[in-house]
Amino acid sequence: MRLNFFRTHKQFTIFALLALLVIGVAIFAPLLAPMNPLEASMDDSLQPPGGKYLCGADKFGRDVLSRVIYGTRTSLVMALCLVAVIFVIGTVLGILAGYFGGIVDGVIMRLADMMISFPGLVLAIAIAGLLGPNMVNAIIAISAVSWTKYARLARSMVLKIKGCLYIEAAVTIGTRTFDILRRYILPNMITTMIVTAATDIGTMMLEIAGLSFLGFGAQAPTPEWGLMLNEGRTYLAKAPWLMIYPGLAIVIVVVIFNMLGDSIRDILDPKQEP
């Protein structure tokens, strides 16, 4: 059965293996990196690719390949944490708004409307600027402007499920609100929410890299792809490898997780044609 599943869903299998490869690089970064990503050697500043520096060295003589490999760990952990935060916050608020309605719905949805009314990246930059530039505050800033998507989706699904006869029957026989939400509401919507979260991993990785590039995310000397792009832009003409390799890493990993999310959606979404 399992082999048939993987044979049937070839796209999912391919990109799941690639995603596992990326995760493996992040986990085993200390074993894969040829050098210490934080060790500087000014004598090797801006060394071109070749020799002991397969992908070149940066302005401090640090190995670019090692920093890209360690950057996988930083970027992936930040992206997964960010998706988990907005998934939980958005889903919970959406369920509360959709099920209880009234004042609760009004307050949550007006707050969501207020967040949506501002350009997302601009508001995230403003929040990160107020909190201070670091990785945790970057996650908080992006979460503050990204939870609305999940809240609106969860609310719309709850409103649809809430009108079903089995929900009315559960209310009639006196089933507790918490049990209704746990037994009937959440199981019927969680699949769509998970699919949405899976497709957002690549997007959130780009958002984090964008904030780091602008100086509001990871700070030096942390090996993070967006920060590496920021550090390399000054030397674009003289040392283009400082931007090429972290840029390629971002593109490859984002494409892998976007395609994986699409594959999961095709499998789990009951509305998709077989």
Side-chain angles (χ1 to χ4, degrees):
M1 291 293 292
R2 294 180 180 177
L3 289 178
N4 289 335
F5 173 82
F6 291 119
R7 289 172 182 169
T8 304
H9 305 285
K10 293 181 180 179
Q11 178 176 311
F12 169 79
T13 302
I14 293 172
F15 287 102
L17 290 175
L18 291 175
L20 289 175
L21 179 61
V22 172
I23 294 172
V25 171
I27 294 174
F28 298 107
L31 300 177
L32 297 175
M35 299 183 184
N36 185 336
L38 304 180
E39 184 178 350
S41 176
M42 296 306 297
D43 292 337
D44 297 326
S45 177
L46 299 180
Q47 283 290 319
K52 67 176 181 177
Y53 297 107
L54 294 180
C55 294
D58 65 7
K59 62 181 179 180
F60 295 113
R62 298 173 299 193
D63 182 43
V64 172
L65 176 59
S66 299
R67 290 182 63 78
V68 169
I69 291 174
Y70 270 86
T72 307
R73 171 181 291 184
T74 305
S75 299
L76 187 59
V77 169
M78 289 178 67
L80 293 177
C81 289
L82 177 57
V83 170
V85 169
I86 61 178
F87 174 84
V88 173
I89 294 176
T91 301
V92 170
L93 292 178
I95 291 175
L96 294 177
Y99 188 81
F100 292 104
I103 296 178
V104 175
D105 183 27
V107 170
I108 294 176
M109 287 299 102
R110 295 300 75 75
L111 180 60
D113 291 340
M114 182 179 68
M115 302 304 293
I116 293 175
S117 64
F118 295 95
L121 183 59
V122 174
L123 184 57
I125 291 173
I127 295 174
L130 290 173
L131 296 176
N134 60 54
M135 291 188 293
V136 175
N137 290 341
I139 292 176
I140 294 174
I142 299 175
S143 299
V145 300
S146 301
W147 65 269
T148 55
K149 172 183 176 180
Y150 290 81
R152 286 181 170 275
L153 177 60
R155 176 180 178 270
S156 65
M157 296 183 66
V158 170
L159 290 175
K160 182 178 179 180
I161 299 170
K162 186 179 175 182
C164 296
L165 292 176
Y166 60 87
I167 299 295
E168 296 179 5
V171 174
T172 301
I173 64 176
T175 305
R176 294 186 305 170
T177 299
F178 177 77
D179 290 333
I180 292 175
L181 294 175
R182 180 173 60 87
R183 295 178 183 176
Y184 306 116
I185 300 291
L186 192 58
N188 284 289
M189 61 178 290
I190 193 65
T191 298
T192 302
M193 301 304 298
I194 290 176
V195 170
T196 304
T199 57
D200 271 353
I201 294 176
T203 302
M204 293 301 106
M205 196 171 290
L206 281 177
E207 296 276 353
I208 291 171
L211 275 189
S212 295
F213 178 80
L214 295 172
F216 295 99
Q219 299 297 301
T222 304
E224 197 275 335
W225 295 333
L227 178 60
M228 292 176 68
L229 289 176
N230 184 23
E231 293 175 339
R233 64 187 175 86
T234 307
Y235 304 93
L236 180 59
K238 183 178 180 181
W241 58 87
L242 297 183
M243 296 194 72
I244 290 175
Y245 293 111
L248 281 176
I250 292 174
V251 171
I252 292 171
V253 174
V254 168
V255 168
I256 288 174
F257 280 99
N258 280 345
M259 296 302 295
L260 177 62
D262 289 340
S263 303
I264 295 174
R265 181 190 60 197
D266 294 339
I267 295 172
L268 297 182
D269 192 344
K271 295 181 180 180
Q272 293 289 327
E273 295 294 333

